[in-house]
Amino acid sequence: MTPGSRRRLVLAGGAIVVLCGFGFLLYGGIGENLVYFLTPSELLARGERAYDTPVRLGGQVLPGSVRWDAEALDLRFRLTDGTQTLVVRSTGAPPQMFREGIGVVVEGRYREGGVFESTNLMVKHSNEYRPPAPGERPQDLYRTLLGEERS
Amino acid sequence: MPGSFVPAVVSRRRYQILGIIALAALVGAELLGLSASPPDRDMGHLQKIMYVHVPAAWSAFLAFFVVFIGSVLYLWKREERYDLLAAAAAEVALVLTALTLALGSIWGRPTWGVWWTWDPRLTTTAILLVMTVGYLALRSFVDEPDRRARWSAAVGILASLNVLVVYKSVQWWRTLHQVQSSPSTVDPAYALGLRLNALAFLLVLVYFILLRYRAARLERLVEAQAEARELAQGEELHV
């Protein structure tokens, strides 16, 4: 075996190992262990085990469900994945993009009273970038959210 | 022969012209992006961060592509210039990856509500950054040029393949980071600024890689001269 052909063999071997690694990443079990957030359905499917454990929950803010108390900085809304819906309670002002219908990920614990107590509210933006429609001002929706409770 | 690769090291003046063009393109594209696009429906003028964060990420990916090509060509041809090209590209890739993370963090705080979260996109990007630091650390630890080139080619290939995982992470796993935008999800009002800024970043990328490649060639030249001197002194002693 010449040094050249041996080198090529080592190179080919290395390439196969790397490709197998990628195949495993793609189709192997690692995807199931890398769950950044649960959906309301998945959390509820845990039954008793769902309560009081720190977890991330993701979904959409159900339109018409947002209750914001500007004095107490207390925010309540329903989080839905289209099948199941959970009540989320969060304290502190939400990020400025927060509005009805937008995607959010909340960190906190699900309590036995049936309320998810969030300690961290994150807004998940879509991949769409559009100027406001004629007559609409940017971030108007957030302002109406604040205005509603004050008036 | 150390003298033989002096002509291959291009004069500094040509690089400077490219650098001035790249800087002017960057300033022009940023100004256009900042002044000529309307606020976004959801995030208002925070959308403008797109013009730096996204081109930084794209050009970081391109820099890693150069690392990959340089590393594979070195293992195949065993010519020093490919190793030096991969090293130069890795330095630029490190800066651009760090810039992408920093700008993304600045964008994330007002829009998502957090500077950082361990979602798969952010985590895999952080791994990519650490691997690139490892690549450059490895280069400075190994003194023998051939061995340094071989080892860093292997690490360079692994690190740059990681870019595929970073790119696909938003599709493979659940993330806070949104999936890739496309011309159908980005209004033309923003697409022009984004494309021009991407072009400007591309020029900066080429300029930086050429500059660092030239520096790497000069470093090797000095190293080779020092080796030759030591060798000559050794022979004199033996005579």
Side-chain angles (χ1 to χ4, degrees), chain B:
Chain B
M1 265 297 284
S4 65
F5 60 78
V6 171
V9 178
V10 180
S11 82
R12 204 167 169 171
R13 188 170 291 268
R14 265 203 261 170
Y15 288 93
Q16 279 170 341
I17 293 167
L18 177 62
I20 290 164
I21 293 171
L23 186 71
L26 191 66
V27 170
E30 288 301 336
L31 285 178
L32 183 114
L34 287 177
S35 62
S37 59
D40 175 72
R41 189 175 54 175
D42 281 333
M43 55 174 74
H45 282 300
L46 289 170
Q47 170 275 333
K48 303 287 179 284
I49 304 176
M50 175 204 274
Y51 300 136
V52 279
H53 171 75
V54 179
W58 285 348
S59 42
F61 284 0
L62 275 178
F64 279 110
F65 185 65
V66 177
V67 174
F68 181 79
I69 296 293
S71 302
V72 168
L73 281 179
Y74 177 79
L75 289 180
W76 184 20
K77 305 269 191 193
R78 300 284 159 144
E79 287 171 30
E80 185 175 64
R81 56 188 173 143
Y82 296 125
D83 172 54
L84 299 183
L85 177 67
E91 288 176 338
V92 181
L94 177 67
V95 171
L96 288 169
T97 308
L99 190 67
T100 305
L101 284 175
L103 292 168
S105 190
I106 292 168
W107 202 2
R109 182 64 187 85
T111 52
W112 295 349
V114 287
W115 295 103
W116 182 265
T117 183
W118 291 103
D119 95 330
R121 171 49 82 79
L122 276 61
T123 307
T124 51
T125 311
I127 292 170
L128 181 65
L129 184 82
V130 171
M131 283 179 87
T132 315
V133 171
Y135 173 91
L136 293 173
L138 173 71
R139 294 193 69 88
S140 61
F141 280 137
V142 184
D143 285 330
E144 208 260 299
D146 284 343
R147 202 189 306 166
R148 173 172 62 212
R150 265 199 321 275
W151 288 3
S152 46
V155 177
I157 288 171
L158 275 178
S160 47
L161 280 176
N162 197 21
V163 166
L164 298 177
V165 182
V166 173
Y167 182 79
K168 296 297 273 181
S169 59
V170 286
Q171 290 156 16
W172 288 350
W173 303 299
R174 289 177 193 170
T175 53
L176 187 64
H177 193 288
Q178 70 274 22
V179 295
Q180 289 87 1
S181 289
S182 68
S184 64
T185 65
V186 177
D187 193 90
Y190 308 126
L192 176 70
L194 182 59
R195 290 202 173 110
L196 287 176
N197 276 291
L199 196 69
F201 264 77
L202 180 66
L203 291 176
V204 172
L205 172 76
V206 172
Y207 171 60
F208 278 180
I209 291 181
L210 286 176
L211 210 64
R212 291 309 299 166
Y213 177 68
R214 179 174 182 271
R217 293 292 293 259
L218 290 173
E219 267 173 32
R220 285 294 300 130
L221 184 67
V222 172
E223 258 181 40
Q225 279 171 349
E227 271 169 32
R229 249 199 319 277
E230 271 172 36
L231 215 64
Q233 278 170 357
E235 272 167 15
E236 274 170 28
L237 287 175
H238 283 294
V239 167

Side-chain angles (χ1 to χ4, degrees), chain A residues 36-37 42 123-124 127 130, chain B residues 41 117 174-175 181 184:
Chain A
Y36 176 64
F37 60 78
E42 286 164 351
V123 170
K124 186 170 159 63
N127 62 348
R130 308 237 175 270
Chain B
R41 189 175 54 175
T117 183
R174 289 177 193 170
T175 53
S181 289
S184 64

